[in-house]
């Protein structure tokens, strides 16, 4: 049971961590109702997808998506699942590096008094922080994902407060 809870926190932290922070930029100018509707629609698709995967995993007795594919489709083409996971992880790494560059690049540039600090900052964080974290068993990171989830909730509260107090309004 603790493995499932840890995996849930890892999933929420990863999805919310990079998705939540970029959602506002993607929905800017659409209005609250269309943006909330889009989030609800995509969240519903995601929920149904996870439920169907779980139901099929029980039906086929699979413990992972590759095993599910092998049982339901073909063992010969199960490599496609591994390839899609690798591509997804690679894309996530690119997104996180972009976030690191956008967040820490200007901070380091200001502290160093240079305008060109974004690339060295991304490279330093990638090699000294992100790459070593990729070598760990993700189950070991679950306790830190709880902290990450709390940070996302805190960010959401600050964004809501600023939206309600008029900070994001024109001239705010």
């Amino acid at each position: 049971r603790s493995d499932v809870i840890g995996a849930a926190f890892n999933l929420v932290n990863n999805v919310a961590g990079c998705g939540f922070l970029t959602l506002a930029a993607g929905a800017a100018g659409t209005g609250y109702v269309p943006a909330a509707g889009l989030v609800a629609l995509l969240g519903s698709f995601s929920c149904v997808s996870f439920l169907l995967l779980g139901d099929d995993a029980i039906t086929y007795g699979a413990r992972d998506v590759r095993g599910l594919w092998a049982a339901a489709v073909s063992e010969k083409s199960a490599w496609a699942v591994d390839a899609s996971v690798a591509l997804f992880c690679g894309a996530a790494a690119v997104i996180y590096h972009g976030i690191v560059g956008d967040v820490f690049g200007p901070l380091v540039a200001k502290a160093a008094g240079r305008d060109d600090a974004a690339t060295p900052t991304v490279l330093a964080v990638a090699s000294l922080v992100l790459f070593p974290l990729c070598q760990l068993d993700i189950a070991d990171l679950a306790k830190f994902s709880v902290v990450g989830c709390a940070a996302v909730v805190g960010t959401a509260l600050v964004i809501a407060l600023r939206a309600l107090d008029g900070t994001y309004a024109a001239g705010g």
Side-chain angles (χ1 to χ4, degrees):
R1 177 132 174 96
S2 64
D3 291 343
V4 172
I5 293 171
F9 275 113
N10 282 335
L11 179 65
V12 168
N13 188 44
N14 282 304
V15 170
C18 81
F20 177 76
L21 297 174
T22 57
L23 182 62
T30 63
Y32 290 116
V33 174
L38 184 60
V39 168
L41 178 69
L42 294 176
S44 298
F45 287 155
S46 180
C47 180
V48 169
S49 297
F50 279 114
L51 289 172
L52 290 173
L53 278 171
D55 188 48
D56 285 345
I58 291 169
T59 300
Y60 287 98
R63 296 180 50 90
D64 56 22
V65 179
R66 186 185 201 288
L68 177 58
W69 182 280
V73 180
S74 167
E75 180 68 43
K76 289 183 179 181
S77 62
W79 63 267
V81 174
D82 295 333
S84 68
V85 169
L87 287 172
F88 179 80
C89 291
V94 169
I95 291 169
Y96 277 113
H97 286 82
I99 292 170
V100 166
D102 288 345
V103 172
F104 293 108
L107 295 174
V108 172
K110 186 168 181 95
R114 298 175 51 160
D115 292 336
D116 60 348
T119 300
T121 301
V122 169
L123 293 174
V125 172
S127 60
L128 300 173
V129 179
L130 296 179
F131 181 73
L133 284 175
C134 291
Q135 308 312 307
L136 297 175
D137 181 1
I138 197 164
D140 296 337
L141 299 176
K143 57 185 163 277
F144 300 107
S145 290
V146 172
V147 175
C149 290
V152 169
V153 169
T155 302
L157 292 173
V158 170
I159 289 171
L161 176 68
R162 292 180 63 134
L164 295 173
D165 75 1
T167 302
Y168 295 141

